[in-house]
Amino acid sequence: MNHTQHTDHQHEHHDHSDHHAHMIEDFKKRFWISLILTIPVLILSPMIQSFLGIFWGFSGDRYVLFGLSSVAFFYGGWPFLKGLYEELKDKNPGMMTLIAVAIGVAYFYSSAVVFGLEGKMFFWELVTLIDIMLLGHWIEMKSVMGASRALELLVNMMPSEAHLVDGDSTRDIALKEVKPGDLLLVKPGEKIPADAVVTEGESHVNESMLTGESVPVKKGMDDKVIGGSINGNSSITIKVSHTGEESYLNKVITLVQEAQKTKSKTQNLANRAAKWLTYIALSVGFATLAVWLILGYDFVFALERMVTVMVISCPHALGLAVPLVVAISTSLSAQNGLLIRNRTAFENSRKISTLVFDKTGTLTKGEFGVTRFHSFIHEFNDEELLLWAATLEQNSEHPIAEGIVKKAAGLSKAIPKALDFKAITGKGIQANVHNKKVMVVSPRYLRDESIEAPEEAVGNAAETVVFVLIDGKLSGFIALADEVRPESKTAIKLFQDEGIKVMMATGDNEKVAKSVSEHLGLDGYYAEVLPHQKVEIVKKLQEQDQFVAMTGDGVNDAPALAQADVGIAVGSGTDIAAETADIILVNSNPKDIANLIFFGKATYQKMIQNLAWATGYNAIAIPLAAGVLYGVGFILSPAVGAVFMSLSTVIVAINAQLLKKKVMADTK
């Protein structure tokens, strides 16, 4: 195993973000220098002087103008010229080609005028155009940087060192030296350095950044902790289970990186549109030049139209429309406990018409909890009855016993001591508590002993009931069930309000399945289903033209998850092993699936809004730039065209950032 994997991630991401930060800095510097050069260029431009009604000419002024503009062209325009070279080398003309052709034509034509060609100089348009393009790029790159910042936060969640327990003392070691099996001390408020199991101490750990679980989780002996989560109020000693690429956080980072790289159908559509727009812009640009020349207008006017067309139709907004939304949605999802492996499935989550749940651990907690308990005798109240039962059950591993002990522990009262434990095979357990003979038994024991159970003690189909006898007298009962999660009902109501049918496929018997289904108001259920039968259920629903999402624990449900239109692995917690799932939910909360659907919808809407804006803008801007309204005296200059181009890009960037606000509002 590669223990340096995490550090590699850190370096890799660090290099990437450093490179990005360096590029932002570079654009910023080029922008300010070009802006300073613009002032004398504007003052010396004959067109601006005549506009202001002044004349500040001197001999050789056009050469000064040429010199200043040359610096602005080669220094300020360098990123675009370099981009032109790279795009043509890859035989893939794009945005940079358009900008470079526009500024190149303006510069070389104006330079020819300086040295004797008949015509008009274009220098002031050239420098303002470069300024606006640099500013647009700078703002856009800052937005992209902001979107990838969340991933950086994930990378930076790991501490740089750990306290290794070495005999009776501790010593600090670098994180990359930590190995599985090491004992580490984590002090209050510190970040947990690796995935591990608690061996000593008890604390509350904040896992919100990793799982979206806002309440700190109590961790004690044998509980798992995740590297990167924050220890609360007490020191704990932990035994390292995973480091490096095996760690939960690293798997999350890798998944987020992969999700940001993978392209969905929407994104591929945007990329194709941007490419076509480039070809259209180049063709329309040269056609515009030709048409105005054929109509008998002078070359300067025709050239100005061509440059404006190329600048205004730059597919920048289109190129940015989807990637920004992608970067923001994937990192936001990771912070909310949703890990996206398949972007197309994520965007398609808005189409879900039927949702198939696995019961255990998703709709229910997957553990026995006490649903009700009652004492039949006056000597003991309900709570005392539960405490006495817990006395007998505290050494048992049985899920029912664990449920009773857990409930009793929550009462914050001392559990009495018991002596002379004896198991009653298949029927229960007995012991002496305060000199009384106490038994916790199954209904079968009552039947065998011909003891009649009161009406209220008869459980519903989903409940398991045990009885407490004290000195041979039936004294009370405790009912337990695989508790339905409190959030399940709300989540199912949300789905049904959205017009989504909710079904359940469970391995449990008919009685339990029916009871849970009725309690939650499901649209249907399948009971006693074996894992391989789940695939058949999904197929059958798909044949009925349903768009099916399947949730499962990712192991035995793998085939069904793969078959479903959207496969959701639930409750994988720290084990992101669900290779076949499109989306992984860190928590088992069904409400997270509702969030996922809202999320998918919001993401898709933002993409469509951005694509509609970017293409709509071009449909209007290109004809205006070409001069269709010249007859009524309306004409766009290249500089105004550049302002519109940059504005459309900034609007797309801001709209993508608004996704954060929308998502936060929806998931509340």
Side-chain angles (χ1 to χ4, degrees), residues 618-646:
N618 276 303
I620 294 164
I622 291 178
L624 287 179
V628 288
L629 294 182
Y630 179 64
V632 294
F634 181 84
I635 198 118
L636 273 180
S637 74
V640 174
V643 169
F644 278 128
M645 202 298 296
S646 295

Side-chain angles (χ1 to χ4, degrees), residues 139-293:
I139 292 171
E140 168 211 323
M141 287 172 81
K142 280 185 80 163
S143 297
V144 174
M145 182 92 171
S148 62
R149 184 113 337 128
L151 184 59
E152 210 168 300
L153 284 176
L154 282 175
V155 174
N156 293 337
M157 276 170 67
M158 289 309 254
S160 53
E161 53 182 31
H163 314 303
L164 180 71
V165 177
D166 196 353
D168 295 336
S169 61
T170 60
R171 60 188 172 90
D172 290 352
I173 58 167
L175 184 69
K176 61 173 180 280
E177 290 171 31
V178 172
K179 301 186 296 295
D182 281 352
L183 284 179
L184 305 175
L185 174 70
V186 186
K187 295 174 185 170
E190 287 186 341
K191 289 176 178 175
I192 290 170
D195 293 358
V197 174
V198 178
T199 58
E200 201 181 307
E202 214 174 70
S203 186
H204 283 78
V205 174
N206 182 347
E207 297 179 341
S208 59
M209 182 64 180
L210 295 153
T211 63
E213 178 61 64
S214 52
V215 184
V217 187
K218 189 178 179 186
K219 301 284 183 183
M221 191 74 169
D222 295 333
D223 285 336
K224 288 180 178 175
V225 287
I226 307 172
S229 51
I230 300 164
N231 185 22
N233 45 6
S234 318
S235 290
I236 49 174
T237 304
I238 58 172
K239 186 177 185 178
V240 178
S241 48
H242 298 301
T243 60
E245 61 191 11
E246 294 299 314
S247 75
Y248 169 74
L249 186 61
N250 249 26
K251 287 179 178 173
V252 174
I253 292 166
T254 308
L255 276 171
V256 174
Q257 282 176 337
E258 281 170 7
Q260 287 187 350
K261 279 182 211 151
T262 57
K263 293 186 171 35
S264 65
K265 284 179 184 163
T266 324
Q267 194 163 344
N268 287 329
L269 171 77
N271 291 351
R272 279 205 303 279
K275 201 167 190 169
W276 276 107
L277 190 58
T278 305
Y279 297 143
I280 290 166
L282 286 167
S283 315
V284 172
F286 291 121
T288 302
L289 178 74
V291 168
W292 286 114
L293 288 174

Side-chain angles (χ1 to χ4, degrees), residues 55-107:
F55 181 70
W56 287 340
F58 55 86
S59 68
D61 57 356
R62 53 174 43 204
Y63 297 110
V64 174
L65 196 55
F66 167 70
L68 292 167
S69 303
S70 296
V71 177
F73 175 70
F74 287 107
Y75 178 73
W78 177 248
F80 310 115
L81 299 172
K82 188 174 152 207
L84 166 77
Y85 169 72
E86 282 166 2
E87 286 180 353
L88 294 181
K89 191 176 77 179
D90 295 341
K91 298 189 177 66
N92 190 12
M95 280 174 248
M96 295 299 187
T97 306
L98 276 180
I99 301 171
V101 168
I103 62 173
V105 168
Y107 173 73

